[in-house]
Amino acid sequence: MPTDALTQYIEQERPRAKSLIVTVYGDALLPYGGACWLGELIDLVAPLGLNERMTRTAVFRLVQDGTLEAERIGRRSRYTLTRRGRRQFDSAQARIYASGPPARDGRWTFIILPDALAPGQRDSLDQRLGWQGFARLSPGLLGAARGDATQIAQDTLDDLSLTDDCAVFSAEATAANGLLSLAARAWPLEEIAADYSAFVKHFQPVLQDADQLVGESAFVARILLIHAYRRTLLRDPALPDDLLPEDWPGTKARALARDLYHHLSQATDQYLRANLEIEMPAQNSIIRFG
């Protein structure tokens, strides 16, 4: 059973079923091929507070939005990530499980949006690219403090069929042109810092008891850990240090996530192998908090 700290987290935060299942696929299922029978998934997420109806509804919505696809075998349904879903997962997980913040070379990535772009298309870009550190710097300009984000931008535009409508480029940013101060106002740094601090408050007690967590409890702890961590990390623009407040809590949150994840990994993997139909673990190319 979950520890008191984890039970309190579930009761306070009430994670949404769809978002939790995304975390389960990304953290627990991808290393084993990224597929799961619906019945297995229902049993797997039950300790996370999701009943059968909630799970079925969330899976249906993930199929609708193109993240999962179903394969019917006899009377059973098996759900796996679509190609688009896998690409989104790979891009996000490269950030989630990184041992440190992305390397910065002083360059930024920008996307120029045409005036004629529909509001729904703008919203989709904001949502998808917001997970990769982009923010709207002006009505027609998105930017990220990463020079290596051009491919992410191109892939997202391709997924949304906007490649021919938007322009992507990278450029060096300097304090002289005012871009850094503009960017500092584009992201809600105080809100992100508060979320990191709340993450540390919730999961520091779990780390203290981590050696006692086995089986189902280890699985629940690891899923909630990654779920909570990714919610804030993927909104963090990874700005240069000179734009961040002093004692930025993201640094402490990353160290906590890494240490607790390492404590929970072996017990969680044993639990998954015992509760999933797995023939052979797929090679996992993601180095998790290496």
Side-chain angles (χ1 to χ4, degrees), residues 94-113:
R95 292 193 66 196
I96 294 169
Y97 298 105
S99 59
R104 305 183 186 95
D105 60 2
R107 300 187 67 80
W108 290 61
T109 298
F110 301 100
I111 306 174
I112 298 177
L113 313 179

Side-chain angles (χ1 to χ4, degrees), residues 115-138:
D115 293 339
L117 202 63
Q121 292 174 314
R122 290 177 183 269
D123 291 343
S124 294
L125 275 174
D126 286 346
Q127 181 183 43
R128 289 279 300 275
L129 289 171
W131 300 337
Q132 296 295 339
F134 281 83
R136 188 171 295 280
L137 304 180
S138 69

Side-chain angles (χ1 to χ4, degrees), residues 23-101:
T23 302
V24 169
Y25 263 87
D27 185 71
L29 298 179
L30 270 184
Y32 298 101
C36 189
W37 297 105
L38 180 58
E40 286 183 323
L41 184 63
I42 290 171
D43 292 340
L44 195 62
V45 301
L48 295 165
L50 305 185
N51 60 35
E52 181 175 347
R53 178 187 59 80
M54 296 166 68
T55 301
R56 288 182 180 274
T57 300
V59 168
F60 175 74
R61 290 174 178 169
L62 287 167
V63 171
Q64 281 190 314
D65 68 19
T67 301
L68 296 179
E69 57 188 355
E71 178 185 9
R72 188 80 177 179
I73 303 177
R75 300 178 63 182
R76 305 171 72 194
S77 295
R78 188 180 185 185
Y79 289 86
T80 188
L81 292 169
T82 63
R83 180 181 177 185
R84 192 185 85 177
R86 180 61 186 258
R87 187 157 70 180
Q88 292 178 33
F89 271 59
D90 288 345
S91 179
Q93 291 197 106
R95 292 193 66 196
I96 294 169
Y97 298 105
S99 59

Side-chain angles (χ1 to χ4, degrees), residues 204-276:
Q204 190 67 50
V206 183
L207 177 61
Q208 296 170 1
D209 297 330
D211 291 338
Q212 303 174 28
L213 297 175
V214 295
E216 180 184 287
S217 294
F219 165 75
V220 169
R222 198 175 91 175
I223 292 300
L224 292 180
L225 169 76
I226 293 301
H227 181 75
Y229 181 58
R230 78 174 177 90
R231 283 177 58 194
T232 302
L233 179 77
L234 295 183
R235 294 169 53 235
D236 185 343
L239 294 174
D241 291 342
D242 58 357
L243 281 180
L244 295 174
E246 293 185 9
D247 299 322
W248 178 244
T251 304
K252 187 173 183 179
R254 184 185 299 277
L256 172 59
R258 179 196 62 220
D259 293 346
L260 182 51
Y261 194 90
H262 287 167
H263 275 286
L264 298 169
S265 284
Q266 184 175 357
T268 298
D269 290 340
Q270 290 174 347
Y271 177 78
L272 292 170
R273 288 193 291 268
N275 287 275
L276 298 175

